[in-house]
Amino acid sequence: MSPIDVTCAIIVQNGQILATRRSESMPHPLKWEFPGGKVKGNESASECISREIMEELGVGIVVERPLSPVVHHYDAHSVRLIPFICTLEQGDISLSEHQECRWIPCHELDAVDWLDADVEVAAEVQRLRCQ
């Protein structure tokens, strides 16, 4: 089975990283993740992450650069998670799907109960941003 392409935003502000917590009604409830979603149709990964962040958080972002994709195999499917370092461009965060969001200092990323696919992304972010 081919992995599903999914993007996520590593939104950086004042040395902290935005994390969102999945609601109880979502798959993998109450796990923390970097916000984002599935690539649709012919859109590029960077177009996808801009659209998803507007839909999920109600804010515009500036996509700065991609990080290394991560392939993760869940029980019923596989994902190729494509992370992007981003900054907020406009608006105030308004959650439409997630239970909560939190700004996490870079050195605390390894203490978060991440969704499985996001664990490796968090480790890379910590290596890159906490030096």
Side-chain angles (χ1 to χ4, degrees):
M1 178 188 319
S2 296
I4 300 164
D5 282 345
V6 178
T7 60
C8 68
I10 314 305
I11 301 174
V12 181
Q13 182 173 285
N14 300 323
Q16 298 188 6
I17 312 295
L18 184 70
T20 52
R21 190 173 191 193
R22 297 172 74 86
S23 71
E24 292 179 1
S25 64
M26 295 171 81
H28 313 286
L30 305 179
K31 289 284 192 174
W32 288 88
E33 67 181 351
F34 298 108
K38 295 176 190 167
V39 176
K40 293 183 179 178
N42 292 327
E43 73 183 345
S44 70
S46 61
E47 290 168 338
C48 171
I49 195 58
S50 293
R51 174 186 54 77
E52 285 284 348
I53 297 305
M54 184 57 75
E55 289 174 6
E56 290 183 8
L57 305 179
V59 293
I61 56 170
V62 175
V63 177
E64 294 183 2
R65 66 185 179 94
L67 296 179
S68 304
V70 172
V71 175
H72 185 79
H73 305 286
Y74 290 99
D75 290 339
H77 66 284
S78 297
V79 297
R80 183 170 73 112
L81 188 58
I82 308 164
F84 290 92
I85 299 289
C86 305
T87 54
L88 289 177
E89 181 179 51
Q90 62 186 23
D92 295 319
I93 293 172
S94 174
L95 300 177
S96 65
E97 297 180 15
H98 293 87
Q99 183 179 65
E100 65 180 294
C101 67
R102 186 183 315 165
W103 291 100
I104 300 174
C106 185
H107 65 276
E108 294 179 12
L109 290 176
D110 58 352
V112 174
D113 184 20
W114 294 108
L115 185 63
D116 293 347
D118 292 67
V119 170
E120 196 172 326
V121 174
E124 181 178 9
V125 170
Q126 197 165 32
R127 281 192 304 273
L128 293 173
R129 309 251 357 147
C130 293
Q131 298 178 13

